[in-house]
Amino acid sequence: MAVKSITRKGAETAQPLGPAKESPLIQQWLARDAEVISPSYTRSYPLVVDHGRGAELWDIEGRRYIDFNAGIAVVSTGHAHPEVVRAIQGQAARFIHMSGTDFYYPMEIELAEKLDQLAPGAERHQTFLSNSGAEAIEAAFKLARHHSGRPRMLAFLGGFHGRSMGALSLTASKPIQREGFAPLVPGVTHAPFAYCYRCPLRLEYPACDIACVRYIEQELFQHSVPPREVAAIVVEPILGEGGYVVPPPEFHIRLQELAGKYGILYVADEVQTGIGRTGKMFASEHWGVEPDILCLAKGIASGMPLGATTARRSVMTWGPGAHGNTFGGNPISCAAALVTLRLVEQQYMANAARLGEVALERLRALQRRVPQMGDVRGLGLMIGVEMVRNPATREPAPALRDQIVQEAFARGLLILGAGASTLRFSPPLAISRTLLDEGLDILEESIMAALTV
Ligand SMILES: Cc1ncc(COP(=O)(O)O)c(C=O)c1O
């Protein structure tokens, strides 16, 4: 697909733009970035953004891209949704900051009321507000310990929960994320996740009868983890960073039963899966699971920083001063979140469910022609395609996956990897059928091109 030749101001240029990788202007920005930005950042391609609208972005020279990343599953309503922009502008003109830990303002209370209404379960909920996913997890970690008086945590291999010390202790996605940071918070044990395409226990679903949950009780609880010391099981409904891995339907149901049996709190990390991403407001709802603590961030405020830790009232038992922050529940973020939740609830959640089906069907059709597409899986607009060298051996194909990402970028589609060799789709929930189809056309071309390299 040819890159559209429009300038920053939208006027037609005489010459079509060349590839971003060869642009001297883009190279200049990359060089300046390398001088002053932390080298820990991970960039897959030289996208230097100028502006976005819906599911499209334009770089500083006017190249147009279809965005299947949404700022890593964040801009749920699309880039610069007019109603979100209006809410942000309106709130910024009234007051920008107030410190919700110390003072009151209506939109923070309204947001917590909305989350109370939306969170699964009959019991009323209370919410602690912060600025990011990692902070939402930190709050859950602390609350679980504080409420239960128990020190230990269970999390899962392949799980990603953020990079602050508590959250990082729960994260077990890639060794590079932990390397050099020990000692982490003690008392965290990781169990195998229900990654059926690559079962860590080498079993087959459904004959396995969800052995990965039984492993917790029959192995961990028997040998190394006293269950009465476990405060919480922290789990992503679908592995995000770990490769967009959808577990079988029984997994979370059994896990919550196990947690209940031992008085352990069930903490759903819905930072990536929440807010309509999977076609329901929370992915937990696909299985009828009711988390004791729900962690939210990413898509909740269309890109404004906001984290939320929503717990059953009988769990949120800490008193004044036990936890707090300066910026959490920023009034502009809350205003953006209220509009985002309304738009997602009224339209975009259903759009994600419908277009997710369309995308899955199309990718599965393509998989029949491309055996290197080892596994196609997803719920709503959270879809992963795991690339393999050979479908029989399932040997991961990270180089092929990375090449597809580059081919897509060169053709005007933004997509990223997750896990060892998975392509991940997390477009804005508001994406139109036309743009989805156009993006999938580019992806198909990109896969074919990468296979010939
Ligand atoms: C499931 C999950 N939890 C927590 C986090 C951490 O969120 P943040 O990057 O906002 O700290 C992420 C980020 O990717 C995530 O995907």
Side-chain angles (χ1 to χ4, degrees):
M1 198 200 75
V3 173
K4 264 196 192 149
S5 51
I6 48 174
T7 65
R8 202 168 165 169
K9 295 195 174 64
E12 293 290 327
T13 55
Q15 295 295 321
L17 288 162
K21 278 186 175 149
E22 290 165 21
S23 154
L25 182 62
I26 300 250
Q27 288 307 327
Q28 271 173 31
W29 280 110
L30 265 53
R32 286 172 66 177
D33 177 283
E35 291 293 323
V36 292
I37 293 286
S38 162
S40 63
Y41 289 16
T42 48
R43 275 70 165 266
S44 295
Y45 33 71
L47 171 72
V48 184
V49 177
D50 181 76
H51 67 281
R53 180 54 69 155
E56 292 169 286
L57 280 171
W58 285 265
D59 78 3
I60 50 167
E61 292 180 309
R63 290 177 195 79
R64 169 197 178 247
Y65 296 92
I66 294 176
D67 186 6
F68 275 9
N69 296 331
I72 323 285
V74 168
V75 288
S76 40
T77 58
H79 293 283
H81 190 292
E83 286 191 57
V84 176
V85 171
R86 219 173 298 129
I88 291 171
Q89 288 173 335
Q91 183 54 43
R94 296 171 69 82
F95 64 96
I96 291 173
H97 171 76
M98 202 55 223
S99 189
T101 305
D102 299 281
F103 304 101
Y104 302 98
Y105 40 89
M107 63 290 298
E108 185 180 54
I109 301 163
E110 285 166 4
L111 176 58
E113 285 172 347
K114 187 70 195 166
L115 292 172
D116 172 35
Q117 180 219 321
L118 292 172
E123 193 180 328
R124 299 290 307 276
H125 299 85
Q126 290 178 318
T127 291
F128 178 88
L129 291 166
S130 54
N131 308 283
S132 67
E135 282 180 78
I137 293 289
E138 287 292 337
F141 196 133
K142 289 180 68 178
L143 177 62
R145 272 190 173 177
H146 195 276
H147 171 73
S148 66
R150 299 177 177 193
R152 294 177 186 271
M153 296 281 160
L154 269 186
F156 289 85
L157 295 170
F160 185 90
H161 303 286
R163 296 167 183 270
S164 54
M165 276 298 179
L168 183 62
S169 310
L170 299 166
T171 289
S173 181
K174 297 192 180 93
I176 185 77
Q177 294 155 352
R178 295 164 69 94
E179 196 175 324
F181 299 116
L184 301 179
V185 177
V188 178
T189 302
H190 290 97
F193 190 81
Y195 188 173
C196 298
Y197 186 66
R198 297 186 186 284
C199 175
L201 303 176
R202 308 281 179 273
L203 298 170
E204 286 283 330
Y205 174 79
C208 66
D209 191 29
I210 319 295
C212 44
V213 175
R214 280 188 287 117
Y215 176 91
I216 297 172
E217 190 171 29
Q218 294 173 0
E219 300 296 334
L220 296 180
F221 287 178
Q222 295 304 318
H223 300 295
S224 65
V225 182
R228 278 200 300 269
E229 289 188 2
V230 179
I233 295 179
V234 183
V235 64
E236 290 168 272
I238 297 172
L239 292 188
E241 280 298 306
Y244 278 29
V245 179
V246 186
E250 303 90 332
F251 177 70
H252 287 287
I253 297 169
R254 297 265 186 96
L255 202 55
Q256 189 165 43
E257 280 168 8
L258 180 76
K261 184 170 167 187
Y262 291 97
I264 297 170
L265 296 169
Y266 175 91
V267 179
D269 178 350
E270 294 239 19
V271 165
Q272 190 152 173
T273 54
I275 320 298
R277 171 66 42 202
T278 67
K280 293 192 186 287
M281 187 54 78
F282 306 109
S284 299
E285 294 173 80
H286 287 283
W287 307 292
V289 166
E290 297 176 359
D292 298 304
I293 306 178
L294 187 59
C295 299
L296 303 167
K298 286 198 183 275
I300 193 170
S302 294
M304 290 301 296
L306 187 69
T309 306
T310 297
R312 295 196 286 110
R313 269 193 191 185
S314 57
V315 170
M316 200 164 263
T317 47
W318 49 18
H323 197 43
N325 55 30
T326 300
F327 288 113
N330 170 273
I332 301 177
S333 298
C334 289
L338 285 166
V339 175
T340 301
L341 289 169
R342 174 169 54 74
L343 292 170
V344 168
E345 203 178 6
Q346 288 175 354
Q347 343 169 16
Y348 297 144
M349 196 160 84
N351 193 55
R354 191 172 60 83
L355 292 192
E357 287 294 320
V358 169
L360 270 178
E361 204 174 298
R362 196 159 155 198
L363 290 165
R364 288 195 172 127
L366 186 59
Q367 184 188 28
R368 288 193 276 279
R369 289 194 282 131
V370 181
Q372 291 89 343
M373 294 169 71
D375 196 28
V376 176
R377 57 198 176 222
L379 271 177
L381 285 173
M382 184 168 186
I383 299 177
V385 177
E386 185 160 337
M387 303 306 298
V388 293
R389 290 169 74 92
N390 171 336
T393 63
R394 299 188 180 181
E395 185 188 341
L400 174 60
R401 186 273 311 273
D402 293 348
Q403 186 61 33
I404 295 167
V405 169
Q406 297 307 322
E407 297 285 348
F409 177 68
R411 288 169 172 76
L413 174 69
L414 304 176
I415 190 163
L416 284 173
S421 66
T422 298
L423 291 164
R424 70 155 104 178
F425 299 68
S426 57
L429 309 181
I431 193 169
S432 67
R433 172 72 197 257
T434 311
L435 278 181
L436 181 83
D437 283 339
E438 190 183 338
L440 289 171
D441 287 345
I442 300 175
L443 181 73
E444 186 171 335
E445 264 182 51
S446 307
I447 291 175
M448 296 310 177
L451 284 169
T452 61
V453 169

